[in-house]
């Protein structure tokens, strides 16, 4: 058994023999099975999750076998869609990829001597092939897929080889009809580990060597693009490939220079009264609370009564100064850094305490709202291009990162020009967040929850739960 002690109480988290290790990450099957039990189309408790070693990749793959409530023929299309949605849900909650999902009729999974569904027995049956034809939801789909590909592509053998390279990795029962423009990565057909295997399979099928500079998802994300990449590699010599790649790199360099030119050509901000005050505050040594309060008001910042400044403050106002609102009896530590851009709003309610070196950044239409009596520890950072709402009497420890936005990674653009995706973070009242924790976009932490040090929250934490890990998992309740 695997577990831990907390306040002299022993908490069991799982069985060592059931632990799944994927790329060095420990995965507990119970966490995935809890998600399966939430699905309306599956029978609660009638599922198993286990790991099977993939010798090619040197790591385990995760397999799910679950019993369906309804196995009627007319439900097949709906069930096929559930495979993809289920993979996506598990990835969003636990940050793990599922290699194979097998659905079967009720009473197909074996129980152990204790009367519980047995991971060991069903894993052995899976290895021995019992589930291969047990409930083939996609019977005949491969022929349909191949027929579609044959009708749309004059090179039938090439398309067939591509399909074979994919179906050697992903069991046929897990595939819908793969359209030529369907992205095999974003639809959960191939994950990052399987990408390496796909490259090896394609090299074997087509007797070619794929250069490392072609190892990019965009070259292999659809059947059409794989076809184009293979055709390019087959039709051109190595020196031509190098020349083509150099042209690609030249185009990337050109686009990056254009990005740099746009950044340099951006208009400078006008020097209004808020900018003058900002310069005074940032350049001068510690001025004392009374002077800071006056300067904040002159800049247009809304500031309440008895606000205390324990040291030097830094401001960077690139939006509306009036969008920064500081309530009564707020305490700001040394080197607190407050920034807004565009329409960004920062609101500190009454009796908020920010420790030394805390940074708050609200950009675009983003908002940071910190509730009554909340305390934020040293070196913590809250960045919000979306909406971040923190409740009352929340305790946020040292070096915590909270970010309601996700940054783009397009290499043709400088980082400062990258597009963003904005979401929402809600942290309810009486939450405690340990040092070094990270709270990611679209997370929700319920009232009274405790997030352990160095944890990563991506998703929802129930009220009064104690959680830890990367990603954070519930281990206890207050």
């Amino acid at each position: 058994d695997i577990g831990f002690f907390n306040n002299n109480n022993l908490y069991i988290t799982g069985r060592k023999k059931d632990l799944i290790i994927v790329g060095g990450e420990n995965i507990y099957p119970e966490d995935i099975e809890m998600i399966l039990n939430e699905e309306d189309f599956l029978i609660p408790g009638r599922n198993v999750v286990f790991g099977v070693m993939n010798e090619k990749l040197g790591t385990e793959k995760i397999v799910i076998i679950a019993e369906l409530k309804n196995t009627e023929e007319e439900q097949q299309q709906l069930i096929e869609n559930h495979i993809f949605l289920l993979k996506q849900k598990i990835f969003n909650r636990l940050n793990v990829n599922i290699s194979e999902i097998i659905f079967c009729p009720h009473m197909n999974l074996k129980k152990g001597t204790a009367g519980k569904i047995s991971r060991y027995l069903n894993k052995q049956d899976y290895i021995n092939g019992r589930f291969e034809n047990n409930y083939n939801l996609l019977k005949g789909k491969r022929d349909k897929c191949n027929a579609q590909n044959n009708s749309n592509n004059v090179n039938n053998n090439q398309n067939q080889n591509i399909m074979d390279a994919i179906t050697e990795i992903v069991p046929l029962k897990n595939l819908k009809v793969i359209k030529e423009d369907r992205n095999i990565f974003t639809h959960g057909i191939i994950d990052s580990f399987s990408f390496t295997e796909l490259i090896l399979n394609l090299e074997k099928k087509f007797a070619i060597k794929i250069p490392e500079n072609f190892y990019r998802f965009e070259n292999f994300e659809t059947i059409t693009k794989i076809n184009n990449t293979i055709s390019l590699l087959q039709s051109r010599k190595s020196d031509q490939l190098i020349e083509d790649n150099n042209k690609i790199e030249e185009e990337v360099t050109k686009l990056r220079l254009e990005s740099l030119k746009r950044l340099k050509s951006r208009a400078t901000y006008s020097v209004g009264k808020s900018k003058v005050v900002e310069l005074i505050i940032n350049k001068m040594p510690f001025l004392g609370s009374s002077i800071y309060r006056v300067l904040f008001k002159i800049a247009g910042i809304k500031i309440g009564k008895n606000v205390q400044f324990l040291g030097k403050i830094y401001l960077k106002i690139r939006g509306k100064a009036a969008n920064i609102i500081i309530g009564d009896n707020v305490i700001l530590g040394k080197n607190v850094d407050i920034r807004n851009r565009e329409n960004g709003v920062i609101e500190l309610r009454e009796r908020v305490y920010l420790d030394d070196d805390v940074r708050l950044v609200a950009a675009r239409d983003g908002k940071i709202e910190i509730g009554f009596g909340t305390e934020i520890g040293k070196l913590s950072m809250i960045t919000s291009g979306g909406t971040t709402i923190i409740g009352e009497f929340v305790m946020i420890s040292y070096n915590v990162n909270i970010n309601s936005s996700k940054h783009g990674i397009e290499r043709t653009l400088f980082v400062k020009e990258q597009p963003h995706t904005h979401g929402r973070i809600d942290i309810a009242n009486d939450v405690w967040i340990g040092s070094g924790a990270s709270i990611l976009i679209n997370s929700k932490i319920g009232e009274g929850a405790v997030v352990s040090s160095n944890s990563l929250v991506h998703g929802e934490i129930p009220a009064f739960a104690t959680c830890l890990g990367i990603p954070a998992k519930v281990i206890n309740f207050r």
Side-chain angles (χ1 to χ4, degrees):
D1 289 314
I2 297 173
F4 65 94
F5 284 100
N6 182 25
N7 294 331
N8 295 320
N9 293 316
L10 174 62
Y11 295 88
I12 303 298
T13 59
R15 302 297 299 274
K16 186 175 181 181
K17 69 178 182 179
D18 293 333
L19 186 67
I20 306 168
I21 302 176
V22 180
E25 179 88 12
N26 290 346
I27 309 298
Y28 295 92
E30 295 92 342
D31 295 332
I32 300 173
E33 289 167 356
M34 285 177 63
I35 296 174
L36 299 176
N37 291 335
E38 298 171 1
E39 297 300 320
D40 292 337
F41 68 98
L42 298 177
I43 302 172
R46 302 289 303 189
N47 54 69
V48 287
V49 178
F50 51 82
V52 177
M53 191 64 186
N54 185 324
E55 299 297 341
K56 276 188 180 180
L57 301 180
T59 188
E60 288 189 290
K61 67 176 184 178
I62 303 175
V63 177
I64 291 172
I65 305 178
E67 293 185 354
L68 291 161
K69 285 182 180 177
N70 190 341
T71 58
E72 294 297 321
E73 189 73 19
E74 60 267 24
Q75 297 293 315
Q76 288 189 11
Q77 185 63 44
L78 181 63
I79 292 167
E80 292 171 25
N81 291 332
H82 280 314
I83 290 175
F84 295 94
L85 294 174
L86 195 53
K87 281 187 173 186
Q88 186 177 25
K89 183 176 182 179
I90 293 169
F91 180 79
N92 289 337
R93 291 267 289 271
L94 302 177
N95 201 33
V96 295
N97 284 302
I98 305 301
S99 295
E100 184 173 359
I101 298 176
I102 297 173
F103 292 139
C104 60
H106 187 35
M107 302 303 290
N108 264 239
L109 291 172
K110 289 183 177 178
K111 293 184 177 182
T113 53
K116 295 168 60 178
I117 299 293
S118 170
R119 294 192 189 99
Y120 174 79
L121 291 176
N122 289 292
K123 177 177 178 178
Q124 294 307 307
D125 279 354
Y126 167 85
I127 292 171
N128 293 331
R130 183 170 79 85
F131 291 100
E132 278 299 312
N133 298 306
N134 186 57
Y135 184 67
N136 190 358
L137 291 168
L138 303 183
K139 186 176 181 181
K141 296 289 186 181
R142 180 169 186 169
D143 295 335
K144 184 178 178 180
C145 179
N146 290 338
Q148 176 184 337
N149 287 335
N150 290 345
S151 64
N152 294 333
N153 195 310
V154 295
N155 193 341
N156 298 340
N157 291 332
Q158 183 156 306
N159 248 26
Q160 180 65 60
N161 284 335
I162 292 171
M163 284 302 303
D164 288 344
I166 294 173
T167 54
E168 283 181 14
I169 302 168
V170 183
L172 189 61
K173 64 175 97 37
N174 275 244
L175 293 177
K176 296 169 72 175
V177 176
I178 303 181
K179 298 177 182 178
E180 292 188 352
D181 60 349
R182 184 181 296 280
N183 191 309
I184 62 175
F185 300 111
T186 59
H187 282 79
I189 298 169
I190 298 290
D191 60 21
S192 56
F193 283 106
S194 302
F195 181 47
T196 303
E197 193 173 357
L198 176 62
I199 294 290
L200 295 173
N201 286 352
L202 290 171
E203 288 182 333
K204 183 179 178 181
K205 296 287 183 187
F206 292 98
I208 59 172
K209 177 63 179 175
I210 299 176
E212 287 187 12
N213 53 29
F214 273 66
Y215 289 10
R216 300 194 188 110
F217 288 140
E218 60 261 33
N219 290 334
F220 300 90
E221 61 190 5
T222 65
I223 299 295
T224 299
K225 288 194 174 182
I226 295 175
N227 234 321
N228 293 340
T229 299
I230 297 299
S231 297
L232 180 66
L233 292 168
Q234 288 176 326
S235 64
R236 303 188 179 185
K237 297 178 182 179
S238 59
D239 56 341
Q240 290 176 310
L241 289 175
I242 293 171
E243 183 180 345
D244 290 338
N245 188 63
N246 288 339
K247 287 180 180 178
I248 293 171
E249 294 302 323
E250 286 173 7
E251 181 64 20
V252 169
T253 301
K254 178 184 174 183
L255 292 172
R256 287 184 60 79
L257 287 173
E258 290 174 359
S259 176
L260 177 61
K261 186 178 179 179
R262 286 193 298 271
L263 287 172
K264 287 183 174 181
S265 66
R266 284 180 179 174
T268 57
Y269 293 92
S270 60
V271 181
K273 63 180 181 179
S274 64
K275 183 68 175 177
V276 172
V277 172
E278 176 190 315
L279 289 171
I280 293 172
I281 289 174
N282 292 344
K283 295 296 183 182
M284 297 294 287
F286 178 47
L287 300 172
S289 292
S290 58
I291 298 176
Y292 272 132
R293 286 197 294 269
V294 171
L295 289 172
F296 271 47
K297 287 179 180 178
I298 292 173
I301 295 171
K302 297 176 182 179
I303 186 166
K305 301 175 182 178
N306 302 318
V307 175
Q308 297 182 51
F309 296 81
L310 304 184
K312 184 172 175 55
I313 296 294
Y314 292 91
L315 284 179
K316 191 172 183 180
I317 303 173
R318 298 294 180 267
K320 299 174 184 177
N323 283 355
I324 300 175
I325 305 161
I326 301 175
D328 297 342
N329 302 302
V330 168
I331 300 175
L332 304 177
K334 292 184 293 185
N335 301 318
V336 165
D337 191 343
I338 298 175
R339 306 181 177 207
N340 79 338
R341 301 196 306 271
E342 295 91 29
N343 297 313
V345 175
I346 297 174
E347 183 173 358
L348 310 182
R349 297 290 179 85
E350 189 175 351
R351 298 189 185 278
V352 166
Y353 171 71
L354 304 185
D355 204 342
D356 299 347
D357 301 296
V358 168
R359 176 185 282 189
L360 307 179
V361 182
R364 304 180 190 274
D365 295 317
K367 181 177 183 180
I368 298 173
E369 182 181 306
I370 302 176
F372 186 108
T374 286
E375 300 181 13
I376 299 179
K378 185 175 182 179
L379 287 172
S380 291
M381 181 171 178
I382 302 175
T383 305
S384 193
T387 300
T388 299
I389 306 295
I390 301 175
E392 299 181 346
F393 295 104
V394 174
M395 303 291 288
I396 296 177
S397 191
Y398 173 90
N399 195 29
V400 171
N401 181 39
I402 300 173
N403 194 341
S404 68
S405 301
K406 185 167 65 175
H407 210 287
I409 56 171
E410 172 56 55
R411 67 183 182 137
T412 59
L413 297 174
F414 272 58
V415 170
K416 199 163 185 173
E417 270 210 328
Q418 293 288 347
H420 292 73
T421 302
H422 305 294
R424 184 181 177 97
I425 292 175
D426 287 285
I427 301 174
N429 300 337
D430 187 34
V431 168
W432 188 91
I433 300 176
S435 61
S438 293
I439 316 299
L440 302 188
I441 182 174
N442 295 331
S443 292
K444 185 175 182 180
I445 303 178
E447 180 177 359
V450 176
V451 178
S452 181
S453 297
N454 301 314
S455 295
L456 184 147
V457 176
H458 183 205
E460 185 169 351
I461 302 297
F464 301 105
T466 299
C467 64
L468 63 84
I470 303 176
K473 301 179 178 69
V474 177
I475 60 169
N476 195 6
F477 283 88
R478 288 175 59 183

